Amino acid sequence: MRPVTTEKEEKTAAPAGSGRRALAGRLSWGLADQAASSVSNFAVGVYVARSLGVTAFGVFSLAWVTYGVVLNVSRGVATDPLVVRFSGVPEASWRAAVARSSGAALAVGVTVGAVCLAAGLALGGPVGSAFACLGVVLPALLLQDAWRFAFFAAGDGRKAFVNDVVWGVALVPAMVVAARAGSVAAFVLAWGASAAVAAAYGRVQSGIVPRPSRARGWLREQRDLGSRYLVENVSLSGAGQLRAYGLGALAGVGAVGAVRGAELLLGPFLAVLMGLSLVTVAEAARVLRRAPDRLGRFCLLLGGGQAVAALLWGAALLLVPDRAGGLVLGDVWGTASALIVPATLGVAGAGLGTGAAAGLRALGAARRSLRAQLFASACYAAGGLGGAAAAGAVGSAWGVAAATLASSTVWWVQLRSALREHHQNPNREVRTP
């Protein structure tokens, strides 16, 4: 059964002051977790870029982008519904849901991992070996992400933070070993092996055993949200993958490495955007239950704050001397630094839109969020590929910036309509015809 908050429970909620302190605590752990995730992602990208050069880094980036697609598949069917419907529920309900949702994530990893392994072996060469290794480590990568979602749904972001720290610590010796091998495949395996350490530790932290055998039941119970979130998430990451493959075909693999290098420079904010639902959807769901009239303000502060922070970070990057940038990214810095301005505008636009996206997820307005995401993904792919055809990596970056700024408007229009519908009928999830 789906958890429902009753009117009586709302009236006996904690006082406003303690509620604000609890919210601040959960958000603080969320920020700490995202900082740990950002540092790990940035370190991996920098280490690979400096060790392998721009072309091999482009190959690694193709594997990374593919992982992003699969991660969003897992989130759409397994963990996004968990956060929306099992945030702040009794522990017994949470534990039962986590066992099934983490099992579903593991099942996705095994299934898609087998496909990647087979495709990689068929392709051969550096790209094929990278994809084959990605297939091997996908189950661990997705299970580790599932534990993070589970901990934030329980309001215990500290455990998610510790888990990401464990992953970061395990990355250090793994990257050193990979550097000695000197291949893209070695770095992919090292990245995934360290994730497996964190995934195993997540099992210890939670005391829950993932149940892949119950994945089918979970998918069936959550299909009303999961099917739409799956399409929504895959359209997002699929557009990114299409842009990366298209950019490689139009401008060369080096251009893919340049774009990935610019993303690394904005890594703290991109990591927050990728993992935003870990914190904000759960908190937006709590705001909706306790004070529905404050949800719009919460989402505006969330999106606006991220957009401003991204602009400030981008401005700081423009002041970095070339010598310092070369020390961080090596040969990748020269091409990546030319993309700082459009990449910053793109992240700022995406950050503004994620505030509205969190509100739509909390409202259960899956159809509205799907419409907005499909529009945003189409704009992203069109802008990225059109720009690449016109002016290579630089043109692709400007095309994506224009697309994200335009699509953020659509997100907010959809949230405004969903809030109006919720106020008219507050006892049901928002559903649109």
Side-chain angles (χ1 to χ4, degrees), residues 63-245:
W64 184 286
V65 170
T66 303
Y67 155 70
V69 175
V70 183
L71 179 65
N72 278 311
V73 170
S74 175
R75 288 180 175 180
V77 300
T79 49
D80 280 345
L82 174 77
V83 172
V84 170
R85 286 178 168 155
F86 293 90
S87 292
V89 301
E91 184 178 359
S93 297
W94 173 81
R95 293 181 67 85
V98 170
R100 291 179 294 159
S101 66
S102 60
L106 193 56
V108 171
V110 172
T111 302
V112 182
V115 174
C116 287
L117 177 61
L121 294 176
L123 282 172
V127 174
S129 62
F131 274 79
C133 292
L134 177 64
V136 172
V137 300
L138 266 178
L141 289 165
L142 299 190
L143 182 58
Q144 191 275 339
D145 187 71
W147 291 132
R148 297 173 69 212
F149 269 75
F151 294 142
F152 277 109
D156 195 354
R158 179 183 62 84
K159 288 185 177 180
F161 168 74
V162 172
N163 194 275
D164 268 328
V165 170
V166 168
W167 189 3
V169 172
L171 266 172
V172 176
M175 288 290 110
V176 171
V177 173
R180 291 178 179 176
S183 67
V184 176
F187 278 104
V188 173
L189 286 176
W191 170 47
S194 56
V197 174
Y201 184 62
R203 159 70 180 88
V204 175
Q205 287 177 294
S206 65
I208 298 173
V209 178
R211 303 290 186 185
S213 61
R214 300 183 181 178
R216 182 175 298 179
W218 174 263
L219 298 178
R220 183 173 58 252
E221 293 171 11
Q222 309 300 326
R223 64 179 178 273
D224 60 327
L225 291 183
S227 59
R228 293 188 177 96
Y229 289 161
L230 172 62
V231 176
E232 181 180 331
N233 289 358
V234 171
S235 70
L236 170 64
S237 53
Q241 189 175 31
L242 179 62
R243 178 209 183 187
Y245 291 167

Side-chain angles (χ1 to χ4, degrees), residues 5-396:
T5 303
T6 65
E7 183 178 355
K8 182 178 179 180
E9 289 171 335
E10 294 292 349
K11 291 180 179 179
T12 58
S18 62
R20 284 193 293 268
R21 286 192 295 271
L23 171 61
R26 290 190 296 268
L27 289 179
S28 295
W29 281 116
L31 291 173
D33 175 71
Q34 293 303 331
S37 178
S38 299
V39 170
S40 296
N41 290 339
F42 183 77
V44 170
V46 167
Y47 203 75
V48 175
R50 289 184 58 83
S51 300
L52 300 181
V54 66
T55 301
F57 184 56
V59 175
F60 181 84
S61 298
L62 291 177
W64 184 286
V65 170
T66 303
Y67 155 70
V69 175
V70 183
L71 179 65
N72 278 311
V73 170
S74 175
R75 288 180 175 180
V77 300
T79 49
D80 280 345
L82 174 77
V83 172
V84 170
R85 286 178 168 155
F86 293 90
S87 292
V89 301
E91 184 178 359
S93 297
W94 173 81
R95 293 181 67 85
V98 170
R100 291 179 294 159
S101 66
S102 60
L106 193 56
V108 171
V110 172
T111 302
V112 182
V115 174
C116 287
L117 177 61
L121 294 176
L123 282 172
V127 174
S129 62
F131 274 79
C133 292
L134 177 64
V136 172
V137 300
L138 266 178
L141 289 165
L142 299 190
L143 182 58
Q144 191 275 339
D145 187 71
W147 291 132
R148 297 173 69 212
F149 269 75
F151 294 142
F152 277 109
D156 195 354
R158 179 183 62 84
K159 288 185 177 180
F161 168 74
V162 172
N163 194 275
D164 268 328
V165 170
V166 168
W167 189 3
V169 172
L171 266 172
V172 176
M175 288 290 110
V176 171
V177 173
R180 291 178 179 176
S183 67
V184 176
F187 278 104
V188 173
L189 286 176
W191 170 47
S194 56
V197 174
Y201 184 62
R203 159 70 180 88
V204 175
Q205 287 177 294
S206 65
I208 298 173
V209 178
R211 303 290 186 185
S213 61
R214 300 183 181 178
R216 182 175 298 179
W218 174 263
L219 298 178
R220 183 173 58 252
E221 293 171 11
Q222 309 300 326
R223 64 179 178 273
D224 60 327
L225 291 183
S227 59
R228 293 188 177 96
Y229 289 161
L230 172 62
V231 176
E232 181 180 331
N233 289 358
V234 171
S235 70
L236 170 64
S237 53
Q241 189 175 31
L242 179 62
R243 178 209 183 187
Y245 291 167
L247 181 59
L250 293 168
V253 178
V256 179
V259 169
R260 177 59 186 155
E263 292 174 348
L264 280 176
L265 296 175
L266 288 155
F269 302 99
L270 288 171
V272 169
L273 291 176
M274 289 179 63
L276 192 62
S277 59
L278 292 173
V279 182
T280 55
V281 174
E283 293 307 325
R286 290 185 176 92
V287 172
L288 179 63
R289 291 190 181 102
R290 296 172 182 173
D293 57 315
R294 297 180 182 175
L295 180 61
R297 184 186 307 171
F298 173 84
C299 294
L300 182 59
L301 289 174
L302 172 67
Q306 283 196 100
V308 171
L311 291 174
L312 291 175
W313 183 264
L317 288 175
L318 293 174
L319 302 177
V320 175
D322 287 339
R323 180 177 298 179
L327 290 175
V328 175
L329 290 182
D331 295 339
V332 179
W333 167 259
T335 53
S337 60
L339 309 180
I340 289 176
V341 172
T344 298
L345 293 175
V347 173
L352 186 61
T354 54
L360 288 170
R361 287 285 175 97
L363 288 164
R367 292 184 182 180
R368 288 197 176 277
S369 62
L370 176 59
R371 292 171 186 172
Q373 187 57 68
L374 290 176
F375 176 83
S377 298
C379 287
Y380 183 95
L385 293 177
V394 175
S396 182

Side-chain angles (χ1 to χ4, degrees), residues 395-409:
S396 182
W398 277 108
V400 166
T404 53
L405 289 169
S407 59
S408 65
T409 303

